[in-house]
Amino acid sequence: MHIFENKSKLILSYVIITFGIAVYTFAWAAFMLPAEIVGGGVSGISSVLHYAAGLDKIPIGVINFIINTILVLIGFKVLGSKFGANTIFGIILSSAFFILWQEVLHVERLFAVDEFGGFMCAIIGGALCGGGIGLAFSMGGNSGGTDIIALILSKFYNISPGKVIMYLDIFIIGSSFFVSHKIENVIFGYVVMVTMTYVLDLVLDGNKQSYQIIVFSTKSKEIGEAITTEIGRGVTLLDGEGGYSHQPTKVLIVMAHKTDKSNVMHIIHRIDENAFISVSKTQGVYGRNFEKIKM
């Protein structure tokens, strides 16, 4: 039974990765490339070469595949075998989808890009890119790209991969000026970068948002029992002492998902209207009933 469950989970993960990369490449083919907007990553490099280096007759999907293949080979040479099947799968898939959208289905004809304007194409394209690649990331997939360069540089220099990727994206988008000769298209490229990053974070972390709720009350035990019984969330009671009164008290701490937060607050208010409450967002909560640590 466990074997079938593992296989079904694996199949589902690859289906989601495929769908995510399909959405990501569709955003490029349908909105960004027709408006001559260049985003970051290897897709951005491919589009710049496609237009600026006289490679118009070579599909972007082919250029994307060649660049990613070179980067992976360099990565294997410098870093060793740190690239799994998902990276190879993502590179082949993204290149294939670029060819499908552009050369076979011609999705650029589906929308009146000229009527939308560059800004709307940047917003829509960035949102779809972020949503698509976010789905792929959530299942452990990716489309290859400049993260390989970032890992190589961070091995030899004291710089974080995130900064390298950001600097590369800024440079790639800036170089699009030599393609369109329009400063507004460069600005639209940065709009894509910001929108994509925002939506990507929303997809990856939005539904996983958790809160740390600290309660100072004379009825902390009753509140804790109610939270455990009614919501099924574990709580922790700490021994505390009033700084002014020096009276002993119980401090209650509970970690709650975004969907549980309002119910926890209702329980606290119902039992003790005078409770002092501190609520803060957490960057991540790992352990039982929350997220698993992914190495």
Side-chain angles (χ1 to χ4, degrees), residues 83-102:
F83 306 104
N86 285 353
T87 300
I88 307 299
F89 178 74
I91 290 171
I92 295 173
L93 201 63
S94 61
S95 301
F97 270 121
F98 266 122
I99 294 172
L100 175 67
W101 297 138
Q102 284 193 294

Side-chain angles (χ1 to χ4, degrees), residues 269-283:
H269 185 264
R270 186 186 73 209
I271 296 175
D272 185 2
E273 294 183 359
N274 298 316
F276 185 83
I277 309 166
S278 171
V279 180
S280 57
K281 288 184 178 180
T282 59
Q283 182 146 0

Side-chain angles (χ1 to χ4, degrees), residues 26-41:
F26 178 84
W28 275 87
F31 294 100
M32 293 163 59
L33 292 176
E36 294 188 348
I37 298 173
V38 173

Side-chain angles (χ1 to χ4, degrees), residues 109-295:
R109 301 172 184 172
L110 295 176
F111 306 99
V113 172
D114 293 336
E115 294 180 11
F116 282 176
F119 182 75
M120 285 304 299
C121 286
I123 293 293
I124 297 171
L128 288 175
C129 279
I133 208 67
L135 286 174
F137 282 174
S138 68
M139 292 291 117
N142 62 77
S143 58
T146 50
D147 54 340
I148 300 173
I149 301 175
L151 288 172
I152 293 172
L153 290 177
S154 64
K155 178 180 179 179
F156 297 103
Y157 301 98
N158 187 25
I159 184 171
S160 69
K163 283 187 178 180
V164 175
I165 292 171
M166 182 183 70
Y167 294 149
L168 285 172
D169 285 349
I170 291 173
F171 174 77
I172 293 166
I173 294 170
S175 67
S176 67
F177 176 78
F178 301 102
V179 175
S180 63
H181 302 289
K182 297 177 182 178
I183 191 65
E184 59 266 30
N185 280 19
V186 177
I187 296 171
F188 294 150
Y190 292 127
V191 170
V192 168
M193 186 173 73
V194 172
T195 305
M196 178 179 172
T197 302
Y198 175 78
V199 176
L200 173 62
D201 289 342
L202 200 64
V203 171
L204 291 178
D205 300 324
N207 293 328
K208 300 177 183 178
Q209 182 65 65
S210 297
Y211 293 85
Q212 177 180 269
I213 303 172
I214 303 176
V215 183
F216 302 85
S217 169
T218 57
K219 301 179 180 179
S220 293
K221 289 184 179 180
E222 294 93 322
I223 293 170
E225 289 173 0
I227 291 173
T228 302
T229 303
E230 298 179 27
I231 303 178
R233 285 288 165 201
V235 301
T236 300
L237 288 169
L238 304 177
D239 290 321
E241 180 183 326
Y244 177 76
S245 65
H246 298 290
Q247 294 296 317
T249 184
K250 289 290 185 182
V251 180
L252 182 145
I253 299 178
V254 57
M255 308 302 298
H257 282 308
K258 179 170 64 175
T259 52
D260 294 329
K261 178 195 164 196
S262 60
N263 292 330
V264 171
M265 298 299 287
H266 281 304
I267 289 173
I268 297 170
H269 185 264
R270 186 186 73 209
I271 296 175
D272 185 2
E273 294 183 359
N274 298 316
F276 185 83
I277 309 166
S278 171
V279 180
S280 57
K281 288 184 178 180
T282 59
Q283 182 146 0
V285 182
Y286 303 93
R288 188 176 179 181
N289 295 327
F290 285 90
E291 298 301 312
K292 292 182 180 179
I293 297 176
K294 298 178 181 178
M295 303 304 293

Side-chain angles (χ1 to χ4, degrees), residues 57-112:
K57 295 182 180 179
I58 302 177
I60 287 180
V62 174
I63 303 174
N64 183 77
F65 180 76
I66 292 172
I67 295 173
N68 269 312
T69 301
I70 293 171
L71 288 176
V72 168
L73 291 175
I74 294 172
F76 272 121
K77 181 71 175 178
V78 177
L79 301 172
S81 55
K82 288 188 177 180
F83 306 104
N86 285 353
T87 300
I88 307 299
F89 178 74
I91 290 171
I92 295 173
L93 201 63
S94 61
S95 301
F97 270 121
F98 266 122
I99 294 172
L100 175 67
W101 297 138
Q102 284 193 294
E103 306 300 320
V104 180
L105 300 179
H106 296 283
V107 294
E108 70 275 4
R109 301 172 184 172
L110 295 176
F111 306 99

